[in-house]
Amino acid sequence: MSELLQKLQWRYATKKMEPSQAVSAEKLEHILEAVRLTASSSGLQPYEVIVVTNPEIREQIKPHAWNQGQITDCSHLLVFAAWDNYTAERINMMFDLVNEERGFKNEGWENYRQMLLNTYPQRDAETNYQHAARQAYIGLGSALIAAAYEGVDSTPMEGFDPAKVDEILKLRERGLRSVILLPLGYRAAEGDWLVNLKKVRRAKNQFVSEVK
Ligand SMILES: Cc1cc2nc3c(=O)[nH]c(=O)nc-3n(C[C@H](O)[C@H](O)[C@H](O)COP(=O)(O)O)c2cc1C
C-alpha cells in the first residue's frame, strides 16, 4: 500500500480529541497551504478559511454544533466559509490578480472573464453561494488528506447551525457564509468509541466501474 493510502487508512473522523495536545504551527501551515493550492472552478477560490483558536469563541460555537466536544478539545478549529455571492468585483479581483502575477494579458483569458461576468453576477445569490460552497468542499478534501499526511487528527463537521456560526464570527458582514467545520488536533487516548472500529467502505467493484 502506498504511504499516502496508509495515512488515509489511519485517518478517521475523530470523536474525542486530547485538549492538552496542540498541532504545531508548521503542520497547521502545511494543511492550510494544501487548501490554498486546491483547484477551484475558474480559479476563483470563492471561499476563505478562518482558524479559530480563541477558547471563548469555540465555547460559544459548541452548543450550535450539536455540543460536539472536538470544537473545544481541538487546538485549531477551521471554518470553511464561502462567498455569499459572485459579484463583478470578486470575479475581477481574481482575474486581475492572475494578470498581475503572470505579467501579461491573454485574450482567451479576458474573453473567459467576460463570459463569467455576463453569467455569474446575474444569477441569484443562493445559486452562486451553493456553487462557491461546493468549491469549499474541495478544499475540505485537501485539508483532510493533508492533515492525515501530517499525522494530525481531524473531524469534518456539517453538524452545526451555519446561521449561528455566521453570527458568532460576523461572517455575513464579510460577505461570507460558513459551510463546514474542521477541528484539528490529536485523538484522545481514551473515550473515543470510533478509534478502534474497522473503517468501512463499499467494495471497489460497487464503487468504481469502467467503460472500456
Ligand atoms: C461533509 C461531512 C460532514 C460530516 N459531519 C460530521 C459531524 O458533524 N460530526 C461527526 O462526528 N462526523 C461528521 N462527519 C464524519 C463522517 O461521518 C465520516 O467521515 C464517515 O462516517 C466516514 O468515516 P471516517 O471519516 O472515519 O473514515 C462528516 C463527514 C463529512 C465528509
Side-chain angles (χ1 to χ4, degrees):
M1 200 192 302
S2 80
E3 204 184 320
L4 179 61
L5 289 181
Q6 279 177 29
K7 302 213 169 182
L8 293 180
Q9 276 287 353
W10 170 85
R11 76 143 289 283
Y12 73 114
T14 307
K15 301 301 173 196
K16 193 162 179 13
M17 290 182 172
E18 180 52 60
S20 62
Q21 266 186 285
V23 176
S24 70
E26 191 188 28
K27 283 179 187 284
L28 175 71
E29 209 41 51
H30 291 169
I31 295 164
L32 294 173
E33 189 61 359
V35 179
R36 199 176 69 96
L37 290 172
T38 296
S40 61
S41 180
S42 303
L44 291 175
Q45 289 181 272
Y47 60 97
E48 295 184 17
V49 181
I50 295 117
V51 183
V52 186
T53 49
N54 182 301
E56 289 87 43
I57 300 280
R58 290 194 279 142
E59 281 295 346
Q60 282 178 44
I61 292 175
K62 191 173 162 182
H64 304 294
W66 302 357
N67 275 315
Q68 298 184 75
Q70 306 95 315
I71 298 283
T72 44
D73 290 342
C74 70
S75 63
H76 301 80
L77 175 65
L78 305 191
V79 179
F80 288 76
W83 289 354
D84 59 356
N85 200 356
Y86 286 120
T87 60
E89 192 188 6
R90 281 170 158 167
I91 292 167
N92 281 326
M93 179 267 291
M94 274 315 291
F95 277 77
D96 289 346
L97 178 65
V98 169
N99 288 348
E100 195 184 308
E101 295 268 324
R102 292 189 176 152
F104 68 94
K105 273 196 176 186
N106 171 289
E107 196 190 328
W109 186 238
E110 290 305 316
N111 290 340
Y112 189 61
R113 178 204 301 249
Q114 286 312 319
M115 199 266 285
L116 290 192
L117 287 172
N118 291 333
T119 316
Y120 285 10
Q122 290 75 5
R123 299 192 307 204
D124 65 284
E126 184 61 27
T127 301
N128 282 337
Y129 160 72
Q130 292 295 343
H131 183 268
R134 288 197 290 277
Q135 314 313 308
Y137 274 93
I138 302 171
L140 170 80
S142 294
L144 288 169
I145 296 167
Y149 184 82
E150 296 290 333
V152 168
D153 283 304
S154 66
T155 319
M157 282 188 186
E158 267 178 338
F160 71 102
D161 180 344
K164 291 284 184 212
V165 170
D166 292 356
E167 203 179 300
I168 293 165
L169 296 175
K170 300 184 173 54
L171 295 180
R172 294 297 182 108
E173 289 89 323
R174 293 165 60 185
L176 298 171
R177 291 172 61 180
S178 56
V179 176
I180 189 122
L181 309 180
L182 186 70
L184 297 175
Y186 290 98
R187 58 191 71 177
E190 282 179 14
D192 188 333
W193 60 269
L194 189 57
V195 64
N196 291 319
L197 296 188
K198 186 174 189 278
K199 188 180 277 294
V200 179
R201 294 293 190 268
R202 295 210 306 277
K204 188 183 162 196
N205 63 7
Q206 290 166 21
F207 190 69
V208 180
S209 54
E210 285 185 37
V211 178
K212 288 186 181 171

